[in-house]
């Protein structure tokens, strides 16, 4: 059965996260993912609030990055919250966005660096006592938590790149591929992930594919599309190589971004084509979205996460997904 989750960012007042988590649990979402973006409220305190006010739904940061904080720090937070939530934590690990704002250079060997970060998290969570000696990360034999790490916590690699997907298939619980609405592109990533599992001698069925499209769901299709166009104008420049795969014009992408950051939202939205909405998002009425989700499941998605901005009215969007979209898949 397909797993369903919702992704929230740290853009909201702290008092709003408990009601969101409780409503998500009541509507039957399986998981809640909290973005850990530098320029927003961090995921860990939000997840702490959610963990203490829910009972069933799984929770996790998607994603944390080793380029900002050491993997051992992420693992310690993860273990502490897994204890607090009675074993409900999951996690996403990736390269991260906004790193350039800190002057953090791109990793020279990003696939190898992220693999090492994953292995170091697994190393300390498993309470291994031998040293960890990687090219990018090291730990002495003395490095061990002074509290019991509760269990092996599922850790997914966040990526929409084929090389990273193949690496993840060899070591991780799977991948989370955000900002993908295209079944064709998702299928390519899945094939890479499964190939990586086979190369590593793993059972391909043991690795799972999470897809997290941007989402805009409303009673009115036009309103949903208008809402998502602004988001796309802002983030399209950061979605390579998927923009090339989708056949989008680089000059139009740049023009939409420049219009957005200059405050001309009307022009920015007008420059976002329909095929961008289709390539990166779940957008429209519940009926529209059901058809799009069916395409992603047919392409191999084990888990669909409804991403930001959710819709012009986020509370209404959650209600529509919880009362119309999820029930459709739960009874089929």
């Amino acid at each position: 059965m397909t797993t369903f989750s919702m992704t929230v960012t740290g853009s909201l007042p702290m008092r709003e996260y408990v009601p969101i988590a409780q409503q998500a649990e009541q509507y039957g979402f399986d998981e809640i993912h909290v973005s850990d973006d530098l320029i927003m409220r961090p995921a860990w305190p939000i997840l702490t609030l959610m963990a203490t006010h829910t009972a069933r739904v799984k929770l996790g940061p998607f994603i944390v990055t080793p380029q900002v904080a050491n993997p051992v720090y992420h693992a310690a937070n993860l273990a502490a919250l897994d204890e607090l939530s009675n074993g409900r934590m999951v996690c996403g690990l990736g390269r991260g966005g906004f790193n350039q704002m800190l002057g953090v250079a791109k990793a020279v060997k990003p696939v190898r660096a992220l693999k090492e970060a994953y292995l170091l998290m697994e190393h300390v969570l498993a309470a291994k006592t031998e040293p960890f000696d990687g090219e990018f990360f090291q730990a002495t034999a003395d490095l061990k938590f002074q509290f019991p790490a509760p269990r092996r916590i599922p850790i997914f690699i966040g990526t929409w790149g084929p090389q990273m997907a193949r690496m993840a298939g060899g070591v991780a619980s799977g991948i989370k591929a955000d900002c993908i609405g295209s079944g064709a592109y998702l299928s390519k990533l899945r094939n890479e992930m499964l190939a990586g599992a086979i190369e590593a001698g793993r059972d391909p069925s043991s690795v799972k594919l999470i897809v997290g499209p941007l989402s805009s769901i409303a009673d009115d299709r036009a309103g949903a599309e208008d809402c998502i166009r602004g988001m796309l104008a802002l983030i399209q420049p950061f979605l390579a190589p998927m923009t090339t795969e989708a056949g989008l014009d680089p000059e139009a992408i740049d023009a939409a971004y420049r219009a957005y950051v200059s405050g001309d939202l009307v022009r920015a939205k007008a420059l976002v084509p329909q095929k961008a909405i289709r390539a990166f998002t779940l957008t429209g009425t519940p009926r529209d979205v059901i058809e799009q989700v069916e395409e992603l499941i047919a392409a191999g998605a084990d888990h669909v996460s409804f991403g930001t901005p959710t819709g012009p009215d986020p509370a209404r969007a959650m209600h529509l997904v919880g009362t119309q979209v999820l029930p459709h898949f739960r009874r089929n």
Side-chain angles (χ1 to χ4, degrees):
M1 180 179 291
T2 306
T3 298
F4 290 97
S5 64
M6 61 178 294
T7 298
V8 299
T9 70
S11 62
L12 302 172
M14 291 296 288
R15 64 180 178 275
E16 295 188 19
Y17 289 104
V18 167
I20 287 173
Q22 292 174 333
Q23 289 165 11
E25 189 166 67
Q26 291 165 8
Y27 282 129
F29 285 90
D30 300 296
E31 298 183 7
I32 302 172
H33 299 169
V34 180
S35 300
D36 192 51
D37 294 323
L38 281 174
I39 58 175
M40 298 184 187
R41 294 168 182 83
W44 299 117
I46 294 171
L47 289 164
T48 301
L49 282 173
M50 290 181 168
T52 54
H53 290 88
T54 56
R56 176 195 58 80
V57 67
K58 292 183 179 180
L59 305 161
F62 279 81
I63 59 168
V64 294
T65 172
Q67 289 194 274
V68 173
N70 190 280
V72 174
Y73 173 80
H74 295 313
N77 277 282
L78 194 59
L81 282 179
D82 200 62
E83 175 188 349
L84 180 67
S85 66
N86 294 314
R88 289 186 284 135
M89 292 300 292
V90 294
C91 183
L93 178 71
R95 294 170 66 177
F98 310 109
N99 295 342
Q100 67 275 13
M101 295 179 180
L102 294 178
V104 176
K106 290 183 178 179
V108 177
K109 302 175 183 176
V111 175
R112 180 166 181 167
L114 199 60
K115 181 178 180 179
E116 277 191 18
Y118 172 87
L119 292 174
L120 180 53
M121 290 181 70
E122 287 275 283
H123 182 89
V124 294
L125 287 169
K128 293 182 179 179
T129 55
E130 65 269 19
F132 185 94
D133 187 21
E135 180 179 352
F136 296 92
F137 299 102
Q138 296 82 36
T140 69
D142 299 327
L143 181 72
K144 51 183 176 292
F145 294 145
Q146 300 303 303
F147 61 91
R151 66 186 180 101
R152 186 181 186 277
I153 301 169
I155 302 175
F156 293 80
I157 300 296
T159 186
W160 54 65
Q163 293 182 10
M164 200 74 80
R166 184 176 284 253
M167 177 276 287
V171 296
S173 297
I175 67 172
K176 185 180 183 187
D178 281 334
C179 303
I180 295 178
S182 164
Y185 190 82
L186 186 68
S187 181
K188 291 182 179 182
L189 282 186
R190 179 177 182 271
N191 289 340
E192 292 293 335
M193 180 185 76
L194 296 180
I198 292 169
E199 287 174 357
R202 303 178 74 194
D203 178 358
S205 67
S206 69
V207 292
K208 302 301 179 184
L209 174 57
I210 308 173
V211 59
L214 301 169
S215 303
S216 183
I217 302 147
D219 298 284
D220 170 54
R221 184 184 300 166
E225 290 185 353
D226 180 72
C227 175
I228 203 67
R229 285 181 191 276
M231 173 70 77
L232 286 171
L234 175 63
I235 72 167
Q236 279 183 125
F238 307 101
L239 297 182
M242 295 193 296
T243 48
T244 301
E245 187 83 12
L248 298 175
D249 179 7
E251 292 184 2
I253 290 172
D254 183 61
Y257 177 76
R258 285 187 283 106
Y260 185 94
V261 297
S262 70
D264 189 350
L265 188 57
V266 172
R267 174 170 166 74
K269 289 180 177 180
L271 289 167
V272 175
Q274 193 70 28
K275 63 181 176 181
I277 295 175
R278 191 66 189 86
F280 308 127
T281 81
L282 297 174
T283 295
T285 66
R287 183 67 254 172
D288 296 328
V289 168
I290 285 170
E291 293 177 1
Q292 294 163 30
V293 170
E294 287 174 339
E295 177 185 329
L296 295 174
I297 293 173
D302 301 294
H303 175 157
V304 177
S305 186
F306 295 89
T308 58
T310 312
D313 180 345
R316 178 63 180 167
M318 186 193 292
H319 176 77
L320 291 173
V321 174
T323 60
Q324 296 186 42
V325 179
L326 296 191
H328 170 84
F329 291 98
R330 295 282 159 73
R331 63 174 175 260
N332 291 329

